[in-house]
Amino acid sequence: MPTTSERPYHHGNLRTALLDAAERGLREHGVDQLALRDLAREIGVSHAAPRRHFADRQALLDALAETGFARLDAALRAALDSADDFPDRVRAAAVVYTRFATENAALLELMYTSKHRPGATRITEAAETTLGLLVEVIAQGQAEGALQAGDPEQVGIVLFATLQGIASIVNGNIVPPELLDGLVSTAVQQFLRGARP
Amino acid sequence: MPTTSERPYHHGNLRTALLDAAERGLREHGVDQLALRDLAREIGVSHAAPRRHFADRQALLDALAETGFARLDAALRAALDSADDFPDRVRAAAVVYTRFATENAALLELMYTSKHRPGATRITEAAETTLGLLVEVIAQGQAEGALQAGDPEQVGIVLFATLQGIASIVNGNIVPPELLDGLVSTAVQQFLRGARP
DNA sequence: ATCGAATGTTGTCATGAGCAACATAGTAGC
DNA sequence: GCTACTATGTTGCTCATGACAACATTCGAT
């Protein structure tokens, strides 16, 4: 623990401060504008200080992506836990996912592009975990007889893809944000119709 | 026409050469690695030459995105033209779109992120045109009675989103590319089931 | 043939990433 | 307490790039 309170001259938790500032910057100005040096300036440390916590810029971005998945996961789990009915679970997951994805557009993009590069296994794993949540929902739905039997992976991925796609085109301004709720609702409805026995 | 043969010293069509080189670079090394100076070097012009054709780096990226939409559009139209049956049209569009999207992953990302910034109206329009193709297919399907009535926009967007989402997660390595065809096929099947009268 | 518009070139600046050498602050062992 | 040792920050470089300005060359219309 820090000695007194304010700035122990070793800042205390630069890493966290960097991540916080980075997320704000990401949200407000986009990835491209995110400069390690800016963060350092904003926080009040020297331009090389971040390097002690993140090997390079990409490492910071990867860390952001990782926490992004963690938050998304938590939100999804919470939503799923408070819905018992199967269609309700699908709806809840859809709403929470698309909401997160549109409210954290830049972060989401990071989450889905940080992984291209080899070595970002933790991120890929995080993404798979999230996807796994949906697949589980599907599997339960099949077990309950609400869905036709079949590979829950396939079906879950398609559902996931639809949500991701909706978020993607809304974030891309191809479609106005006002349509979001309606689209999600249409998608869920069609999904339930298309996948029932 | 050039004076002799090789390099008219005014290169002839730097713009095209830049776009070509840029697309290769994009495909091979990603957007982040795409440097105007590299392109200039590769082509053999001075580092400031590109500026005559693209006001800044982003302008080049925007142009790339625009040609991307044009190519995608052409591919989609061709596919749609050679399919008469309604389900076939949906299948064809789905296959062509996802194929293009996965074979031009970096370009696609560009196409969907260049538009965030204000002023990229031409790109947004291009995206809307592409989306319009799908909406048309849906409208026709409804007219043929193959789909339940409803707002073709809503339905078309959802279909589009699903395809875009599938491409997105494949490109993001969240699911292996081998699954692509199966996913597309599942998605189309479910769509047709979910949206029929 | 001449003049103006396109198109390229050289040179410069500001900025940011990455690295290394050094400084300081906590911490563990004695 | 004192002395390493380690973690964390700082200063000061190098390098690459984007953006810009001033200048050069070529092309095309009159």
Side-chain angles (χ1 to χ4, degrees):
Chain A
M1 276 289 97
T3 44
T4 52
S5 63
E6 217 38 316
R7 222 187 91 200
Y9 215 82
H10 256 160
H11 189 290
N13 51 347
L14 221 203
R15 188 189 157 91
T16 306
L18 283 168
L19 286 175
D20 286 356
E23 212 206 301
R24 256 206 326 284
L26 186 63
R27 181 184 311 279
E28 294 171 11
H29 309 291
V31 212
D32 294 343
Q33 298 305 312
L34 202 65
L36 292 182
R37 275 160 126 103
D38 277 346
L39 299 179
R41 264 190 289 272
E42 183 182 333
I43 295 177
V45 293
S46 75
H47 64 87
R51 206 148 183 303
R52 293 287 172 208
H53 300 275
F54 302 99
D56 56 17
R57 194 183 110 108
Q58 189 55 50
L60 205 195
L61 298 184
D62 286 353
L64 274 181
E66 215 178 318
T67 67
F69 275 113
R71 280 196 288 149
L72 172 56
D73 256 45
L76 272 179
R77 279 181 214 277
L80 288 176
D81 280 355
S82 56
D84 13 45
D85 184 292
F86 169 72
D88 234 47
R89 290 168 68 79
V90 173
R91 256 188 294 275
V95 168
V96 167
Y97 183 84
T98 52
R99 169 180 287 266
F100 179 92
T102 50
E103 286 179 353
N104 303 274
L107 177 58
L108 197 83
E109 209 178 299
L110 216 55
M111 290 160 62
Y112 284 88
T113 53
S114 294
K115 71 285 132 286
H116 284 152
R117 126 194 58 283
T121 48
R122 301 184 56 181
I123 297 178
T124 308
E125 280 166 21
E128 278 159 6
T129 302
T130 302
L131 176 53
L133 288 177
L134 277 197
V135 173
E136 243 175 75
V137 172
I138 302 301
Q140 288 178 351
Q142 291 178 339
E144 284 179 23
L147 293 185
Q148 61 180 334
D151 182 5
E153 274 268 327
Q154 281 274 322
V155 182
I157 293 175
V158 169
L159 175 58
F160 180 65
T162 303
L163 302 179
Q164 163 61 23
I166 290 177
S168 173
I169 61 181
V170 168
N171 286 342
N173 281 345
I174 282 123
V175 151
E178 306 90 71
L179 292 188
L180 180 60
D181 289 348
L183 288 174
V184 171
S185 153
T186 301
V188 169
Q189 209 173 308
Q190 282 209 9
F191 171 77
L192 293 176
R193 272 179 57 108
R196 70 185 166 187
Chain B
M1 273 294 95
T3 45
T4 51
S5 64
E6 217 37 320
R7 226 187 89 202
Y9 220 82
H10 255 164
H11 190 287
N13 52 348
L14 221 204
R15 187 188 158 91
T16 307
L18 282 168
L19 286 175
D20 286 355
E23 212 206 299
R24 257 206 324 283
L26 186 63
R27 180 184 311 279
E28 293 172 11
H29 310 292
V31 212
D32 294 344
Q33 298 305 312
L34 202 66
L36 291 182
R37 275 163 125 103
D38 276 346
L39 299 179
R41 264 190 289 273
E42 184 183 334
I43 295 176
V45 293
S46 75
H47 62 89
R51 208 152 180 305
R52 293 289 171 204
H53 301 275
F54 303 99
D56 56 17
R57 194 184 110 109
Q58 189 55 50
L60 206 194
L61 298 185
D62 286 353
L64 274 181
E66 216 179 318
T67 66
F69 275 113
R71 279 196 288 148
L72 172 56
D73 257 44
L76 272 178
R77 279 180 214 277
L80 289 176
D81 280 356
S82 56
D84 13 44
D85 184 293
F86 169 71
D88 235 47
R89 290 167 69 79
V90 174
R91 256 188 293 275
V95 168
V96 166
Y97 183 84
T98 52
R99 169 179 286 265
F100 179 91
T102 50
E103 286 180 354
N104 303 274
L107 178 59
L108 197 83
E109 209 178 300
L110 217 55
M111 291 160 63
Y112 286 89
T113 52
S114 295
K115 71 294 120 282
H116 285 151
R117 123 194 63 281
T121 49
R122 301 183 58 183
I123 296 178
T124 309
E125 280 165 22
E128 277 159 5
T129 302
T130 302
L131 175 54
L133 287 177
L134 277 197
V135 173
E136 243 176 77
V137 172
I138 302 300
Q140 288 180 350
Q142 291 179 338
E144 285 181 22
L147 293 185
Q148 61 181 335
D151 182 6
E153 275 267 328
Q154 281 274 324
V155 182
I157 293 175
V158 170
L159 174 57
F160 180 65
T162 304
L163 302 179
Q164 162 61 23
I166 289 176
S168 173
I169 60 181
V170 168
N171 286 342
N173 281 344
I174 283 122
V175 307
E178 305 89 72
L179 292 187
L180 180 61
D181 289 349
L183 288 173
V184 171
S185 154
T186 301
V188 169
Q189 209 173 309
Q190 283 209 7
F191 171 77
L192 293 175
R193 271 178 58 111
R196 70 184 166 189

